[in-house]
Amino acid sequence: MWEHVGDPVSVPNVVGMPFHLADALAASRGVTLANPDPDGPPIGAIAWRRAAYITSQQPAAGGIVSRHSSVTVEIVDHGGADDMAVQGQPDAPPADAAHVHLERAKLIQLSPEGQRT
């Protein structure tokens, strides 16, 4: 059985970053960016000399992996992402979400002169 023997490191959040900056950040944290297709070319060869941005990653940011592990990323050319694409949402609501109380909007009718009625 094969085991990871490197020190544990935290996976950085690279989603939304330009590839060259994400690659540098990943390297500084002890992980390597990789193509999700194991039979495909290295992700660096795909992104080389392109304005590529990271659209997703696995494992997710904050996960603990062994040093030198791969983080698979999907990339898209600059301007090629869906305009409605959103970055992943956190699994848990913010700690202060319990204090939010929604109120129904109050409508104010104005007379033609701008006075309240």
Side-chain angles (χ1 to χ4, degrees), residues 6-113:
D7 299 329
V9 295
S10 178
V11 176
N13 183 6
V14 295
V15 174
M17 295 180 72
F19 178 80
H20 70 284
L21 294 178
D23 192 41
L25 175 61
S28 74
R29 299 285 180 88
V31 296
T32 303
L33 300 184
N35 186 346
D37 179 3
D39 296 326
I43 195 73
I46 297 171
W48 178 251
R49 304 185 94 182
R50 291 171 37 186
Y53 285 78
I54 309 293
T55 59
S56 67
Q57 72 179 71
Q58 187 61 34
I64 303 298
V65 297
S66 295
R67 184 173 301 281
H68 307 297
S69 291
S70 295
V71 175
T72 59
V73 295
E74 297 278 347
I75 61 171
V76 65
D77 286 338
H78 176 69
D82 180 8
D83 288 342
M84 299 303 290
V86 294
Q87 188 171 353
Q89 300 297 318
D91 293 335
D96 62 350
H99 302 289
V100 176
H101 300 286
L102 300 177
E103 293 183 17
R104 183 169 254 198
K106 296 179 182 177
L107 300 177
I108 299 173
Q109 291 247 338
L110 297 176
S111 68
E113 295 82 34

